[in-house]
Short mmCIF file of all heavy atoms in Angstrom, two decimals:
data_model
loop_
_atom_site.label_atom_id
_atom_site.label_comp_id
_atom_site.label_asym_id
_atom_site.label_seq_id
_atom_site.Cartn_x
_atom_site.Cartn_y
_atom_site.Cartn_z
N VAL A 174 -1.19 1.18 0.39
CA VAL A 174 -0.29 -0.01 0.41
C VAL A 174 -1.30 -1.19 -0.04
O VAL A 174 -0.86 -2.08 -0.85
CB VAL A 174 0.13 -0.25 1.86
CG1 VAL A 174 0.99 -1.52 1.93
CG2 VAL A 174 0.87 1.01 2.41
N ILE A 181 -1.41 -6.01 -7.73
CA ILE A 181 -0.48 -7.10 -8.20
C ILE A 181 -1.17 -8.41 -8.29
O ILE A 181 -1.04 -9.19 -9.20
CB ILE A 181 0.76 -7.14 -7.23
CG1 ILE A 181 1.58 -5.90 -7.34
CG2 ILE A 181 1.59 -8.36 -7.55
CD1 ILE A 181 2.66 -5.76 -6.34
N LEU A 212 14.62 18.75 0.44
CA LEU A 212 13.32 18.60 -0.14
C LEU A 212 12.31 18.24 0.89
O LEU A 212 12.54 17.37 1.72
CB LEU A 212 13.36 17.56 -1.36
CG LEU A 212 14.23 17.79 -2.47
CD1 LEU A 212 14.13 16.79 -3.54
CD2 LEU A 212 13.85 19.17 -3.16
N VAL A 219 8.17 13.02 -6.24
CA VAL A 219 8.70 13.02 -7.62
C VAL A 219 9.97 12.16 -7.79
O VAL A 219 10.36 11.84 -8.96
CB VAL A 219 8.86 14.38 -8.17
CG1 VAL A 219 7.63 15.23 -8.04
CG2 VAL A 219 9.93 15.14 -7.45
N GLU A 243 4.18 -21.31 -12.72
CA GLU A 243 4.40 -22.38 -11.85
C GLU A 243 3.29 -22.47 -10.74
O GLU A 243 2.36 -21.72 -10.74
CB GLU A 243 5.82 -22.10 -11.07
CG GLU A 243 6.93 -21.88 -12.02
CD GLU A 243 7.35 -23.21 -12.68
OE1 GLU A 243 7.05 -24.27 -12.18
OE2 GLU A 243 8.02 -23.14 -13.72
N ALA A 269 19.06 -0.06 13.03
CA ALA A 269 17.69 0.07 13.48
C ALA A 269 17.27 1.43 14.07
O ALA A 269 16.11 1.44 14.64
CB ALA A 269 17.50 -1.08 14.50
N LEU A 283 -5.53 21.61 12.26
CA LEU A 283 -6.67 22.38 11.84
C LEU A 283 -7.82 22.27 12.79
O LEU A 283 -8.26 21.15 13.06
CB LEU A 283 -7.11 21.93 10.39
CG LEU A 283 -8.14 22.64 9.73
CD1 LEU A 283 -7.81 24.14 9.47
CD2 LEU A 283 -8.56 22.07 8.37
N THR A 289 -9.97 18.47 16.09
CA THR A 289 -8.70 18.86 15.55
C THR A 289 -8.33 17.77 14.52
O THR A 289 -8.56 16.61 14.64
CB THR A 289 -7.64 18.90 16.63
OG1 THR A 289 -7.44 17.63 17.18
CG2 THR A 289 -7.96 19.98 17.74
N VAL A 292 -2.60 18.39 10.27
CA VAL A 292 -2.42 18.92 8.86
C VAL A 292 -1.69 17.86 8.09
O VAL A 292 -2.00 17.52 6.91
CB VAL A 292 -1.79 20.28 8.87
CG1 VAL A 292 -1.37 20.69 7.44
CG2 VAL A 292 -2.70 21.33 9.47
N ALA A 306 -7.78 7.74 -6.95
CA ALA A 306 -8.73 8.17 -7.98
C ALA A 306 -8.00 8.05 -9.40
O ALA A 306 -8.59 7.66 -10.50
CB ALA A 306 -9.37 9.45 -7.78
N ALA A 323 -7.96 -6.80 -18.76
CA ALA A 323 -8.15 -7.98 -19.59
C ALA A 323 -7.19 -9.13 -19.25
O ALA A 323 -7.60 -10.26 -19.20
CB ALA A 323 -8.03 -7.57 -21.13
N GLN A 326 -8.19 -10.99 -16.21
CA GLN A 326 -9.34 -11.93 -16.41
C GLN A 326 -8.92 -13.25 -17.07
O GLN A 326 -9.38 -14.27 -16.57
CB GLN A 326 -10.52 -11.10 -17.27
CG GLN A 326 -11.19 -10.03 -16.44
CD GLN A 326 -12.27 -9.43 -17.36
OE1 GLN A 326 -12.80 -10.08 -18.20
NE2 GLN A 326 -12.65 -8.25 -16.98
N ALA A 356 3.22 6.12 -0.33
CA ALA A 356 2.83 5.98 1.02
C ALA A 356 4.04 6.32 1.96
O ALA A 356 3.80 6.94 2.96
CB ALA A 356 2.30 4.53 1.32
N PHE A 363 5.23 12.63 9.69
CA PHE A 363 4.62 12.34 11.06
C PHE A 363 4.83 10.87 11.61
O PHE A 363 4.36 10.52 12.56
CB PHE A 363 3.17 12.57 11.01
CG PHE A 363 2.36 11.75 10.04
CD1 PHE A 363 1.87 10.49 10.40
CD2 PHE A 363 2.09 12.16 8.70
CE1 PHE A 363 1.08 9.70 9.50
CE2 PHE A 363 1.32 11.42 7.80
CZ PHE A 363 0.93 10.12 8.22
N MET A 400 -10.92 -0.13 8.24
CA MET A 400 -10.01 -0.64 9.14
C MET A 400 -9.39 0.50 10.01
O MET A 400 -9.16 0.41 11.18
CB MET A 400 -8.91 -1.36 8.41
CG MET A 400 -9.24 -2.75 7.94
SD MET A 400 -8.11 -3.41 6.85
CE MET A 400 -6.59 -3.08 7.72
N SER A 415 -5.47 -2.05 21.77
CA SER A 415 -6.53 -2.87 21.29
C SER A 415 -6.92 -2.64 19.76
O SER A 415 -7.81 -3.23 19.27
CB SER A 415 -7.81 -2.69 22.14
OG SER A 415 -8.20 -1.33 22.06
#
Side-chain angles (χ1 to χ4, degrees):
V174 186
I181 294 174
L212 295 180
V219 301
E243 305 288 340
L283 180 64
T289 59
V292 172
Q326 290 183 20
F363 60 90
M400 285 168 46
S415 63

